Amino acid sequence: MNKILFFFCNLIAVIGIFILLITNILNEVFPIMGRVAFQAAMAGSYSPSDYTVNFTVINLFAFLLILIGVVTGYKIYKK
C-alpha cells in the first residue's frame, strides 16, 4: 500500500511541476501571439503588457501540490 501512496505523492509533485512549466510557456507565448494578431488586424496599438496573464493563483496551487507531494512522499519513504 505504501508503494502506491508513494507513487501518487510523486505524481502530484510532477503534476505541479508541469503546471508551472505550462504557465511559464503561456506567459512567453501570449505576447507573441498578441503581436501577430495586432499585425494581422492593423488596428489600435500593441503593448506586450496587454497580453500578460496573471497566473498567481494557479502558480500558488502548483507550489502547494509540489510541497504536499514532496513532504508526504518523504514521510511515506521514511516509514
Side-chain angles (χ1 to χ4, degrees):
M1 185 69 180
N2 283 339
K3 291 180 183 179
I4 296 171
L5 291 176
F6 184 73
F7 171 76
F8 281 116
C9 290
N10 289 328
L11 183 65
I12 288 172
V14 169
I15 289 172
I17 291 169
F18 279 131
I19 290 172
L20 287 177
L21 178 70
I22 289 170
T23 56
N24 286 333
I25 289 172
L26 290 177
N27 272 334
E28 295 293 326
V29 170
F30 280 169
I32 296 169
M33 289 173 46
R35 181 180 302 161
V36 170
F38 168 73
Q39 288 175 349
M42 294 300 286
S45 62
Y46 171 75
S47 174
S49 63
D50 292 340
Y51 298 96
T52 304
V53 181
N54 186 3
F55 286 120
T56 305
V57 175
I58 296 172
N59 286 341
L60 180 64
F61 180 69
F63 281 124
L64 287 175
L65 281 177
I66 294 168
L67 185 66
I68 290 169
V70 168
V71 169
T72 309
Y74 179 74
K75 286 182 179 180
I76 291 172
Y77 179 74
K78 281 299 201 179
K79 282 186 179 181

